[in-house]
Amino acid sequence: MKEYLDERNRASEIADGLLSLPFHLGGILSGISLAIIYYLLAEWCYLFVFPPMRSAVFWMPSGITAFLFIVFREHNRLWPYLMAGIFIAEVYSVSQHGVGAV
């Protein structure tokens, strides 16, 4: 239990440090870094697309997104930047690969 609280305090310190940078720079850097990570994971997951389906067998970016929103759930000011990063990465990824079969 103590380890969980230590990790939670560490995540809170990271978010507070990012949000304390001037001109929303921390949020912007968070969004950009998440967009890059999300895009790279999406590209990796596209390696597991098998014909005739055009959708991935598993989608790792959703896991990293869920993890970040659980970790930073108390820092609502960081969420718009994370969502913008996810949106940009997803639009770019879909523009390259198209939309998968439903």
Side-chain angles (χ1 to χ4, degrees), residues 29-95:
L29 290 175
S30 299
I32 291 171
S33 61
L34 178 62
I36 292 169
I37 291 169
Y38 190 96
Y39 177 74
L40 292 175
L41 280 173
E43 287 298 312
W44 184 65
C45 286
Y46 276 118
L47 295 174
F48 299 99
V49 174
F50 302 109
M53 299 294 289
R54 289 183 47 210
S55 56
V57 174
F58 64 96
W59 195 248
M60 292 284 293
S62 63
I64 196 80
T65 303
F67 171 76
L68 288 175
F69 280 107
I70 289 171
V71 169
F72 295 125
R73 68 183 169 267
E74 296 172 357
H75 300 281
N76 297 345
R77 291 184 1 206
L78 197 57
W79 287 16
Y81 300 107
L82 297 178
M83 292 300 292
I86 292 167
F87 180 76
I88 291 168
E90 189 65 27
V91 166
Y92 188 69
S93 180
V94 167
S95 70

Side-chain angles (χ1 to χ4, degrees), residues 4-15:
Y4 169 75
L5 293 175
D6 290 341
E7 290 296 321
R8 187 171 174 191
N9 289 338
R10 179 72 181 136
S12 182
E13 289 172 5
I14 291 170

